[in-house]
Amino acid sequence: MSKRLRSSEVCADCSGPDPSWASVNRGTFICDECCSVHRSLGRHISQVRHLKHTPWPPTLLQMVETLYNNGANSIWEHSLLDPASIMSGRRKANPQDKVHPNKAEFIRAKYQMLAFVHRLPCRDDDSVTAKDLSKQLHSSVRTGNLETCLRLLSLGAQANFFHPEKGNTPLHVASKAGQILQAELLAVYGADPGTQDSSGKTPVDYARQGGHHELAERLVEIQYELTDRLAFYLCGRKPDHKNGQHFIIPQMADSSLDLSELAKAAKKKLQSLSNHLFEELAMDVYDEVDRRETDAVWLATQNHSTLVTETTVVPFLPVNPEYSSTRNQGRQKLARFNAHEFATLVIDILSDAKRRQQGSPLSSSKDNVELILRTVSNQHSVESQDNDQPDYDSVASDEDTDLETTASKANRQKSLDSDLSDGPVTVQEFLEVKNALVASEAKIQQLMKASRLEKQNSTPESDYDNTPNDMEPDDTGSSRKGRQRSMVWPGDSPVADTAEPHVAPSPTLPSTEDVIRKTEQITKNIQELLRAAQENKHDSYIPCSERIHVAVTEMAALFPKKPKSDMVRTSLRLLTSSAYRLQSECKKTLPGDSGLPTDVQLVTQQVIQCAYDIAKAAKQLVTITTKENNN
């Protein structure tokens, strides 16, 4: 765990006091606001951890603290330290700047564009330059000078560089020298502890030979970091590597999924992946685990009474431009898995990783990761009504729709992991609620029970087993299921708290049918907006948001000016304020006076958040109205 930070430490990006997060691969400490931007960049840009509420391997934290205290931030802000930068008006962000666009634009320039990093003189042969840098790294890791090595890595030195004359990698050198912090830094940048040198020895071997037992044990942990993290996510335990236990395979509380032919087919597809594709899938699931766990810490550590509109949500894994579009689509699909489905996938990956390491590989297959993700993540249960409708998805392609998961509602609610139990209500979940209301009175009673559970801050997992045959193919809702916070923005509500003081509270609520009719109109417009986001049609944001605002206003007009129910007032406030903010966010796609480019990705994330909040509020109003009208 983290040791207490010195009070003199400030955020590396805006100089705000008391930073509570770290960017591990950048060697910096950052504040909450700047961290919200780092999270939206993706782990390939910045790997964030909370300093107090995230478990830390002690030497990893020591590595980050050493880098921070020895000026690692100057690597990323090199040119800003030049007096000429001040003269030219270039400056870093300050604590008073707005998160968007000021801090966000600075942080993206600093870490994503590397706009302020010291540039080497241009060479005709870039590969020679990279080789030279890697050789310098190879010789530097035998010392304790971490910032020199970080600077070399930032310029393009390769952590896994195999020195042709020496016959080993930088990690071999660091392990021989007992430089545990250098080993941590190299591992963060992808160095493999299992790599053999020209003599067939690994860095672990050299650490043990040199009597560096703590380093040797840590290198073994790093070697199994991916599977250890997945196991810990599900059951809160890690293997005992010292005694030769390298894998923990958790068991589901309800193993009925394992009995189905479709689940067996999905597992077979997973097993038939080549080692390369399997490793890609495992790394993507690792990133999704990191996103979910960081989300949980993020939500737990924020001061909800002082939320600001710039707070960034990360509803799915950000795009990594080094990956193919198919892989990025598959990565984003992971966010839609509910807790049970995601746990099933994690367990299958752990089981197959163990099988592969023990040397019993199956024949390779050309089946790609996308098919595996679609197989496991399909949200429709085979217990649903007969329905030949394919699974339409707002992130991935429309191929390979032939397999379905057999997860029933009961299975979804019996999970080892409650990660999404208090998560947001997605548009797809809201559609399910609406369809359930129309379909049967029994479902209404079920929703009334769900409403009572929601009052106790425990939102149940949704089921997807009641898709009516008359639903249009592209009316299946957003597939992005990220943990997001519903936000109420002060001063944004045109309905709540605006009634005249002399108006008495009214117990009269509109009919359920009228509310459902208006929610259908809202939902249709939300779907249009989300499709525009999916297709990068950013010029459609403003007209879509205006139609949603009109539909929300019409729905709000159904209700009394001063409803008697606190829940109705709260839901109306969330509904109308979210619609108001949606318009404000969509207007950010217009060219600004500053002439600076709009950060469309961040705007899109805010737009999706607003859409979720509108859908959630509409669901609450449908549920409340149904309950009251049935009493």
mmCIF file of all heavy atoms in Angstrom, residues 331-346:
data_model
loop_
_atom_site.group_PDB
_atom_site.id
_atom_site.type_symbol
_atom_site.label_atom_id
_atom_site.label_comp_id
_atom_site.label_asym_id
_atom_site.label_seq_id
_atom_site.Cartn_x
_atom_site.Cartn_y
_atom_site.Cartn_z
ATOM 1 N N ARG A 331 -12.562 -4.813 -28.141
ATOM 2 C CA ARG A 331 -12.223 -4.284 -26.818
ATOM 3 C C ARG A 331 -13.376 -3.467 -26.253
ATOM 4 O O ARG A 331 -13.706 -3.566 -25.067
ATOM 5 C CB ARG A 331 -10.971 -3.413 -26.921
ATOM 6 C CG ARG A 331 -9.680 -4.177 -27.059
ATOM 7 C CD ARG A 331 -8.528 -3.298 -27.532
ATOM 8 N NE ARG A 331 -8.286 -2.180 -26.631
ATOM 9 C CZ ARG A 331 -7.541 -2.245 -25.535
ATOM 10 N NH1 ARG A 331 -6.983 -3.381 -25.183
ATOM 11 N NH2 ARG A 331 -7.346 -1.172 -24.778
ATOM 12 N N GLN A 332 -13.992 -2.653 -27.083
ATOM 13 C CA GLN A 332 -15.089 -1.825 -26.594
ATOM 14 C C GLN A 332 -16.320 -2.670 -26.259
ATOM 15 O O GLN A 332 -17.098 -2.320 -25.370
ATOM 16 C CB GLN A 332 -15.423 -0.751 -27.620
ATOM 17 C CG GLN A 332 -14.315 0.279 -27.765
ATOM 18 C CD GLN A 332 -14.660 1.423 -28.685
ATOM 19 O OE1 GLN A 332 -15.648 1.379 -29.400
ATOM 20 N NE2 GLN A 332 -13.850 2.466 -28.666
ATOM 21 N N LYS A 333 -16.483 -3.795 -26.954
ATOM 22 C CA LYS A 333 -17.618 -4.666 -26.645
ATOM 23 C C LYS A 333 -17.551 -5.234 -25.235
ATOM 24 O O LYS A 333 -18.577 -5.570 -24.647
ATOM 25 C CB LYS A 333 -17.656 -5.835 -27.639
ATOM 26 C CG LYS A 333 -18.174 -5.473 -29.013
ATOM 27 C CD LYS A 333 -18.429 -6.712 -29.828
ATOM 28 C CE LYS A 333 -19.570 -7.516 -29.232
ATOM 29 N NZ LYS A 333 -19.910 -8.693 -30.045
ATOM 30 N N LEU A 334 -16.342 -5.352 -24.698
ATOM 31 C CA LEU A 334 -16.201 -5.939 -23.364
ATOM 32 C C LEU A 334 -16.978 -5.156 -22.311
ATOM 33 O O LEU A 334 -17.410 -5.712 -21.303
ATOM 34 C CB LEU A 334 -14.719 -6.001 -22.976
ATOM 35 C CG LEU A 334 -13.868 -6.993 -23.771
ATOM 36 C CD1 LEU A 334 -12.389 -6.785 -23.456
ATOM 37 C CD2 LEU A 334 -14.273 -8.425 -23.459
ATOM 38 N N ALA A 335 -17.160 -3.869 -22.526
ATOM 39 C CA ALA A 335 -17.853 -3.043 -21.533
ATOM 40 C C ALA A 335 -19.319 -3.419 -21.412
ATOM 41 O O ALA A 335 -19.955 -3.109 -20.409
ATOM 42 C CB ALA A 335 -17.720 -1.565 -21.903
ATOM 43 N N ARG A 336 -19.892 -4.080 -22.426
ATOM 44 C CA ARG A 336 -21.310 -4.395 -22.374
ATOM 45 C C ARG A 336 -21.594 -5.668 -21.585
ATOM 46 O O ARG A 336 -22.746 -5.957 -21.253
ATOM 47 C CB ARG A 336 -21.867 -4.546 -23.797
ATOM 48 C CG ARG A 336 -21.432 -5.827 -24.492
ATOM 49 C CD ARG A 336 -21.993 -5.933 -25.890
ATOM 50 N NE ARG A 336 -23.408 -6.232 -25.882
ATOM 51 C CZ ARG A 336 -24.097 -6.544 -26.973
ATOM 52 N NH1 ARG A 336 -23.498 -6.563 -28.140
ATOM 53 N NH2 ARG A 336 -25.378 -6.811 -26.903
ATOM 54 N N PHE A 337 -20.556 -6.453 -21.273
ATOM 55 C CA PHE A 337 -20.781 -7.696 -20.532
ATOM 56 C C PHE A 337 -21.300 -7.375 -19.132
ATOM 57 O O PHE A 337 -20.729 -6.544 -18.435
ATOM 58 C CB PHE A 337 -19.479 -8.480 -20.374
ATOM 59 C CG PHE A 337 -18.975 -9.133 -21.634
ATOM 60 C CD1 PHE A 337 -19.404 -8.713 -22.882
ATOM 61 C CD2 PHE A 337 -18.059 -10.161 -21.569
ATOM 62 C CE1 PHE A 337 -18.928 -9.307 -24.030
ATOM 63 C CE2 PHE A 337 -17.571 -10.760 -22.708
ATOM 64 C CZ PHE A 337 -18.006 -10.330 -23.946
ATOM 65 N N ASN A 338 -22.360 -8.060 -18.721
ATOM 66 C CA ASN A 338 -22.740 -7.908 -17.318
ATOM 67 C C ASN A 338 -21.775 -8.723 -16.463
ATOM 68 O O ASN A 338 -20.876 -9.388 -16.978
ATOM 69 C CB ASN A 338 -24.205 -8.289 -17.086
ATOM 70 C CG ASN A 338 -24.482 -9.768 -17.265
ATOM 71 O OD1 ASN A 338 -23.594 -10.617 -17.154
ATOM 72 N ND2 ASN A 338 -25.724 -10.093 -17.553
ATOM 73 N N ALA A 339 -21.944 -8.644 -15.159
ATOM 74 C CA ALA A 339 -20.961 -9.229 -14.251
ATOM 75 C C ALA A 339 -20.799 -10.730 -14.471
ATOM 76 O O ALA A 339 -19.677 -11.251 -14.479
ATOM 77 C CB ALA A 339 -21.370 -8.958 -12.804
ATOM 78 N N HIS A 340 -21.912 -11.427 -14.670
ATOM 79 C CA HIS A 340 -21.851 -12.882 -14.823
ATOM 80 C C HIS A 340 -21.148 -13.262 -16.117
ATOM 81 O O HIS A 340 -20.298 -14.157 -16.152
ATOM 82 C CB HIS A 340 -23.267 -13.466 -14.790
ATOM 83 C CG HIS A 340 -23.290 -14.969 -14.728
ATOM 84 N ND1 HIS A 340 -23.134 -15.743 -15.856
ATOM 85 C CD2 HIS A 340 -23.437 -15.819 -13.689
ATOM 86 C CE1 HIS A 340 -23.196 -17.024 -15.504
ATOM 87 N NE2 HIS A 340 -23.375 -17.094 -14.201
ATOM 88 N N GLU A 341 -21.495 -12.594 -17.179
ATOM 89 C CA GLU A 341 -20.889 -12.899 -18.473
ATOM 90 C C GLU A 341 -19.393 -12.613 -18.463
ATOM 91 O O GLU A 341 -18.590 -13.401 -18.990
ATOM 92 C CB GLU A 341 -21.567 -12.075 -19.568
ATOM 93 C CG GLU A 341 -23.001 -12.487 -19.833
ATOM 94 C CD GLU A 341 -23.765 -11.435 -20.606
ATOM 95 O OE1 GLU A 341 -23.377 -10.258 -20.612
ATOM 96 O OE2 GLU A 341 -24.780 -11.808 -21.214
ATOM 97 N N PHE A 342 -19.020 -11.490 -17.871
ATOM 98 C CA PHE A 342 -17.613 -11.133 -17.845
ATOM 99 C C PHE A 342 -16.831 -12.117 -16.978
ATOM 100 O O PHE A 342 -15.718 -12.525 -17.332
ATOM 101 C CB PHE A 342 -17.450 -9.704 -17.331
ATOM 102 C CG PHE A 342 -16.072 -9.149 -17.516
ATOM 103 C CD1 PHE A 342 -15.520 -9.027 -18.780
ATOM 104 C CD2 PHE A 342 -15.311 -8.745 -16.421
ATOM 105 C CE1 PHE A 342 -14.239 -8.511 -18.959
ATOM 106 C CE2 PHE A 342 -14.029 -8.234 -16.596
ATOM 107 C CZ PHE A 342 -13.504 -8.119 -17.866
ATOM 108 N N ALA A 343 -17.425 -12.515 -15.851
ATOM 109 C CA ALA A 343 -16.761 -13.502 -14.994
ATOM 110 C C ALA A 343 -16.568 -14.818 -15.738
ATOM 111 O O ALA A 343 -15.521 -15.474 -15.613
ATOM 112 C CB ALA A 343 -17.584 -13.727 -13.719
ATOM 113 N N THR A 344 -17.565 -15.219 -16.526
ATOM 114 C CA THR A 344 -17.451 -16.458 -17.301
ATOM 115 C C THR A 344 -16.293 -16.374 -18.289
ATOM 116 O O THR A 344 -15.502 -17.310 -18.422
ATOM 117 C CB THR A 344 -18.764 -16.724 -18.060
ATOM 118 O OG1 THR A 344 -19.840 -16.806 -17.122
ATOM 119 C CG2 THR A 344 -18.682 -18.030 -18.838
ATOM 120 N N LEU A 345 -16.184 -15.250 -18.976
ATOM 121 C CA LEU A 345 -15.091 -15.071 -19.930
ATOM 122 C C LEU A 345 -13.741 -15.089 -19.223
ATOM 123 O O LEU A 345 -12.792 -15.722 -19.698
ATOM 124 C CB LEU A 345 -15.274 -13.750 -20.694
ATOM 125 C CG LEU A 345 -14.165 -13.362 -21.673
ATOM 126 C CD1 LEU A 345 -13.985 -14.437 -22.745
ATOM 127 C CD2 LEU A 345 -14.464 -12.021 -22.318
ATOM 128 N N VAL A 346 -13.646 -14.410 -18.089
ATOM 129 C CA VAL A 346 -12.381 -14.367 -17.347
ATOM 130 C C VAL A 346 -11.970 -15.770 -16.904
ATOM 131 O O VAL A 346 -10.796 -16.164 -17.030
ATOM 132 C CB VAL A 346 -12.502 -13.425 -16.134
ATOM 133 C CG1 VAL A 346 -11.293 -13.580 -15.201
ATOM 134 C CG2 VAL A 346 -12.625 -11.979 -16.593
#
